[in-house]
Amino acid sequence: MAFLADALSRVKPSATIAVSQKARELKAKGRDVIGLGAGEPDFDTPDNVKKAAIDAINRGETKYTPVSGIPQLREAIAAKFKRENGLDYTAAQTIVGTGGKQILFNAFMATLNAGDEVIIPAPYWVSYPEMVSICGGTPVFVKTKQEDNFKLKAEDLEKAITPKTKWFVFNSPSNPSGAAYSHDELKALTDVLVKYPHVWILTDDMYEHLTFGDFKFVTPVEVEPKLYDRTLTMNGVSKAYAMTGWRIGYAAGPLELIKAMDMIQGQQTSGAASIAQWAAVEALNGPQDFVAQNKKIFEARRDLVVSMLNQAQGISCPTPEGAFYVYPSCAGLIGKTAPSGKVLETDEDFVTELLETEGVAVVHGSAFGLGPNFRISYATSEDLLEEACRRIQRFCNNCR
């Protein structure tokens, strides 16, 4: 009898976490490393949010909370969906988890049976397929194209749907590509989904507030209300409010699903940290002006990185609409020889040699299901980004 569960054989470690860990290890050895692997804003949590947490501690809000979240936060979540997305949910239709990951995991755990299929557009966030596999489902990947700005076409979605399809996972703006869907682009997808009532939609809106220029964010149920009864809309405070370490994600959806997720969470972690929940109440209900300020900073960083990468030999980098990632192609370097003498056969070879030669840590695109590309997180200072891009240009120009 094997000691470890069979499910572990279906799961790979997180590539994004692995890259960040490798960068930390090299730094600890004295190497000059610029880490562009982590999806984490470099801004500090807003002062009003930190004060709300301190006030909660001083009030003694340090006990267990209800599994699905404190009433004040669930009310704030329902109000946020109404105010920002025009969606009507009661507090009872919301749930709070220890980060967005727990929300997604519990949704899959509550619904997937062996043989159930989950459609995941590629490139995808590395955790989606692993969560599906752990929960007994089958990930079904639908590749997008760089010439389409990594956006899924309606006809490709329809081809992927089978009688076994349980969920369609939708992420806009996207991690890793930064691609965001306009109202019309999303309407083409929802028109397909309306025709297949057995398919549920799990929409990951974590980067909702990080879109640039005149782009207007929309979420699937906002575009097509007919999908209301089979959509789980997930979000959180980590990216827009620079609260990654607070570990608060949330979602709203049909009451039956929320109750099922609550039951699983009750046997798993119970409620999220009480102090973090009170901080999230202030994040959602308090002043929002800093969100727009941070967006401008991210947009300037995006423009800098896209411009400099497109000046590197063999690199092609589209301009994304949102999030804080770019997903350039390194196809022009495949088959070339790195300064070390290593022939670059894959995007993983590219990022490994880039780290060893120039001390720039990025994530290979094949980890996200689509290569030869790589992901850069530009959630760091312009000075560091400029230096990292200079190193990338030098590395690429030295490949022969």
Side-chain angles (χ1 to χ4, degrees), residues 249-290:
Y250 60 82
L255 191 57
E256 180 183 13
L257 174 60
I258 297 297
K259 286 181 176 179
M261 293 167 63
D262 173 89
M263 183 173 65
I264 289 171
Q265 193 163 308
Q267 299 296 347
Q268 184 189 56
T269 60
S270 293
S274 59
I275 307 308
Q277 289 193 58
W278 281 104
V281 171
E282 174 62 21
L284 294 180
N285 288 346
Q288 305 291 307
D289 53 325
F290 66 90

Side-chain angles (χ1 to χ4, degrees), residues 129-272:
E130 309 308 325
M131 290 179 182
V132 170
S133 296
I134 290 174
C135 295
T138 302
V140 174
F141 303 118
V142 184
K143 289 190 175 183
T144 61
K145 299 176 181 178
Q146 183 161 322
E147 53 263 39
D148 296 327
N149 292 319
F150 302 112
K151 296 179 190 179
L152 181 65
K153 295 294 188 181
E155 56 267 30
D156 293 329
L157 170 60
E158 190 152 21
K159 287 176 187 174
I161 295 174
T162 75
K164 294 182 179 180
T165 303
K166 177 69 69 75
W167 286 100
F168 165 55
V169 176
F170 180 74
N171 177 214
S172 171
S174 161
N175 175 6
S177 71
Y181 291 69
S182 68
H183 184 283
D184 290 347
E185 290 167 336
L186 186 46
K187 182 67 164 61
L189 299 181
T190 59
D191 283 350
V192 171
L193 293 164
V194 165
K195 296 190 286 184
Y196 298 91
H198 68 289
V199 178
W200 283 59
I201 299 89
L202 202 167
T203 176
D204 179 348
D205 295 352
M206 192 63 75
Y207 297 90
E208 169 185 2
H209 291 296
L210 297 176
T211 60
F212 307 126
D214 297 327
F215 187 90
K216 185 181 185 305
F217 172 86
V218 283
T219 196
V221 181
E222 190 178 358
V223 171
E224 181 47 81
K226 293 176 184 175
L227 298 175
Y228 180 92
D229 290 331
R230 50 187 172 104
T231 298
L232 183 70
T233 302
M234 190 277 286
N235 210 315
V237 296
S238 61
K239 312 299 184 181
Y241 300 97
M243 294 176 67
T244 49
W246 298 80
R247 307 308 301 136
I248 295 292
Y250 60 82
L255 191 57
E256 180 183 13
L257 174 60
I258 297 297
K259 286 181 176 179
M261 293 167 63
D262 173 89
M263 183 173 65
I264 289 171
Q265 193 163 308
Q267 299 296 347
Q268 184 189 56
T269 60
S270 293

Side-chain angles (χ1 to χ4, degrees), residues 328-348:
S329 168
C330 56
L333 293 163
I334 300 302
K336 291 186 178 292
T337 301
S340 68
K342 164 78 175 176
V343 176
L344 303 177
E345 297 179 356
T346 65
D347 50 25
E348 190 165 5

Side-chain angles (χ1 to χ4, degrees), residues 61-71 270-275 277-278:
E61 306 279 6
T62 56
K63 308 298 184 185
Y64 291 133
T65 72
V67 172
S68 291
I70 58 175
S270 293
S274 59
I275 307 308
Q277 289 193 58
W278 281 104

